[in-house]
Amino acid sequence: MKLLTGNDLNTGLVTWWTGKDWSIHIEDAVDVGEDGETIAAAEELARRINGPYVIGGELTAEGPRPAHIKDRIRALGPTVRVDLTLKPNDPSAAERVI
Amino acid sequence: MYQYDQYDQAMVDARVAEFADQVKRRLSGDMTEDQFKPLRLMNGLYLQLHAYMLRVAIPYGTLSSKQMHMLAHIARKYDRDYGHFTTRQNLQFNWIKLDDTPEILTDLASVEMHAIQTSGNCIRNISSDQFAGAAADEITDPRPWAELLRQWSSFHPEFSYLPRKFKICVIAAQEDRAAMRLHDIGIQIIEKDGVHGAAVYAGGGMGRTPMIAPLIKEFVPLEDLLSYLEACLRVYNRYGRRDNMYKARIKILIHEIGADSYRAQVEEEFAQVKALGIDPPRAEFDRIAAFFAMPDLDANASDDLDLSHKDFALWVGQNVAKHKAAGHAIVTISLKPIEGIPGDATSAQMDLMADLALQYSHDELRITHAQNVVLPHVRKADLFAVWEKLVAAGLATPNLDLITDMIACPGLDYCSLANARSIPVAQKIADRFADLDRQRDLGELKLKISGCINACGHHHAGHIGILGVDKKGKENYQLSFGGSGAQDVSIANITGPGFDEDGVVDAIERATDKYLAERRDGERFIDTYRRIGMAPFKEAIYG
Ligand code: HEM
Ligand code: SF4
């Protein structure tokens, strides 16, 4: 699958394209197929996103999983500060993104 | 400490106002990211892996308690309650919102701080010896010289768009505590015929092509210093490789044309520049230097120290250094607790360190390039009280310069340029070598980790260096031995094939075991390595 990601213009937080909007939760991300670049351009123009780019990934039981470790860490948060990630109560989340 | 005059303050305030307007225009859509990015970078605002990151300049690593309290306040109010002290003696906030930045910069300006020139191809924050003004082995305080260079390089119009970033370091002691020769220009203040002047080294650096700066001029008198540096920069600005980012640093230019040719061109340029009259009168230097006068130390302070408390004695032995004044000492606060993240401090810890500085260290703190914090002027009689408060805050780890006092860059946990994570490796090594007796037996051992070839973690200069690489999508770590950023400066050599995260910890243990078996009296790890070479270590690691 292909995912569209970027950083929120104001907060800078990592966000994912959900089909109609942006979410900080990768679980909400949809497969953008071949439309990623077009959506990215429109959303950047509409000032909803900073530095959008398309990445490869796969759909797993837990939801979309980016192909590259960098984007898996982006999706979760720093692996060394579980308390600051999106899954503060799941100590094994960091292990799963590696 | 230096205090802003009206010009300093007016320049910083004007920049804050200008940037506030630029942020507004970006958020309202009047500016695209392509237009905005160079502007935010000029104000230290990066976009990193998880959010915007703000890098705050700490000139030559010196802070007052008021400034440290402000950093704590910013961490608490606008960020997630912590900050990261870096090898460039700066502070990075990792979770900044764009629309908060004007307020943050206003807060910083209120305590004479900013984030200007912490990015971009300009002269960056001047770094220095963290023991400046207090060290028993210095010939003078290098900070007046560093401050002179700060004023000269701030908003220098000709050097705002150099071929690449430019880092300058000034020291004035025999022992190099600031990796001076690994800077684009390294300056050592020396004495000749009773007069202080600058020995100027140029063309050092780390990154993908590490180089040790050669000596360019043995002695530049103070009254020529700015003209001489101006000439150094002009020659670089003219001939630096703007066509290739990887070859654009001054180290490549000097390596390619040779130190002799560079020196000759600088001399020629100097003859022109000197006539421009940019060197300030001696009185101006004296005015600056007066800000750095030794604080009013207790002249009756005693050298007696009760070391009967075992843990206190350990900490004194490891983290307390000799002060130039009787009855005083220099305290280094380790930001490397065994379970922690190298260089990170919480707001509460910053506040505590600021309070300690105000109460016990004449209102001064320093940041070290090894990511620790220094209280430079503590009475020996107060050491026990300071230590007790540090213990309570988790800041009394007695591991200075030992294997667990590692430098680690943010790596793939925070940095968008990273290939691999640095911090988890640092934590695994710390865990393996946590036993203090074992660390002390290994002695001085500088371990440095970078998450990519940019070498922000100084891995080339580590007695043991670790470089994170990407091996087919997996984190992999290259090991190297024999580097040093001190006066015995050297560049480390790679041991051989890389390891995974656990493998690299095992390899380090096999290497330190080898060292213990081979060492002679008084030899540090690096001394043994230099004497016996790589082969026995390779044998131990790869079998
Ligand atoms: C997280 C954002 C950061 C980015 C984007 C970044 C980027 C870079 C880049 C691109 C270089 C290579 C420059 C060159 O070789 O021309 C570099 C070098 C360096 N950086 Fe960073 N860095 C970051 C964080 C840090 C941190 C946290 C530290 C301190 C721990 C640091 C200190 C240094 C040092 C000491 C060097 C090598 C010295 C030299 O330039 O020769 N940087 N950085
Ligand atoms: S060395 Fe690489 S990974 Fe580490 S902070 Fe620098 S750019 Fe980032």
Side-chain angles (χ1 to χ4, degrees), chain B residues 409-411 415 417-418 450-452 454-456:
Chain B
C409 79
C415 177
L417 301 177
S450 306
C452 82
N454 288 327
C456 304

XYZ file of all heavy atoms in Angstrom, chain B residues 409-411 415 417-418 450-452 454-456, ligand 2:
79
model
N 24.314 11.544 19.885
C 23.444 12.483 19.186
C 22.008 11.967 19.289
O 21.779 10.851 19.730
C 23.888 12.618 17.731
S 23.338 11.251 16.701
N 21.019 12.746 18.883
C 19.625 12.282 19.026
C 19.297 11.049 18.168
O 18.409 10.273 18.511
C 18.803 13.480 18.575
C 19.720 14.656 18.645
C 21.092 14.136 18.406
N 20.027 10.888 17.051
C 19.828 9.705 16.217
C 18.406 9.562 15.705
O 17.622 10.521 15.696
N 15.989 12.571 14.893
C 16.615 13.313 13.807
C 16.206 12.771 12.446
O 16.281 11.571 12.199
C 18.130 13.244 13.952
S 18.999 14.057 12.612
N 17.690 13.116 9.667
C 18.803 12.722 8.807
C 19.397 11.377 9.223
O 20.270 10.839 8.549
C 19.910 13.786 8.855
C 19.507 15.192 8.419
C 20.674 16.159 8.576
C 19.029 15.197 6.979
N 18.937 10.843 10.337
C 19.583 9.663 10.928
C 19.410 8.397 10.105
O 18.430 8.224 9.388
C 19.016 9.431 12.321
N 27.264 8.528 16.925
C 26.485 9.331 15.979
C 25.521 8.421 15.220
O 25.873 7.301 14.874
C 27.391 10.011 14.943
O 28.408 10.755 15.548
N 24.356 8.967 14.908
C 23.347 8.184 14.193
C 23.464 8.267 12.686
O 22.698 7.645 11.952
N 24.417 9.054 12.190
C 24.712 9.069 10.763
C 26.064 9.736 10.550
O 26.663 10.258 11.489
C 23.614 9.762 9.948
S 23.737 11.556 9.938
N 27.030 12.460 9.521
C 27.253 13.866 9.852
C 28.071 14.040 11.128
O 28.640 15.102 11.375
C 25.930 14.605 9.967
C 25.303 14.793 8.607
O 25.999 14.958 7.620
N 23.983 14.729 8.553
N 28.097 13.021 11.954
C 29.025 12.983 13.098
C 28.743 14.011 14.178
O 29.664 14.489 14.841
C 30.468 13.095 12.611
N 27.485 14.356 14.373
C 27.146 15.290 15.450
C 27.560 14.718 16.802
O 27.780 15.467 17.750
C 25.651 15.586 15.448
S 25.066 16.217 13.880
S 24.822 12.581 13.497
Fe 23.208 12.335 12.020
S 21.632 11.313 13.238
Fe 22.985 12.279 14.685
S 22.050 14.295 15.048
Fe 23.624 14.511 13.448
S 22.465 14.425 11.580
Fe 21.179 13.528 13.178
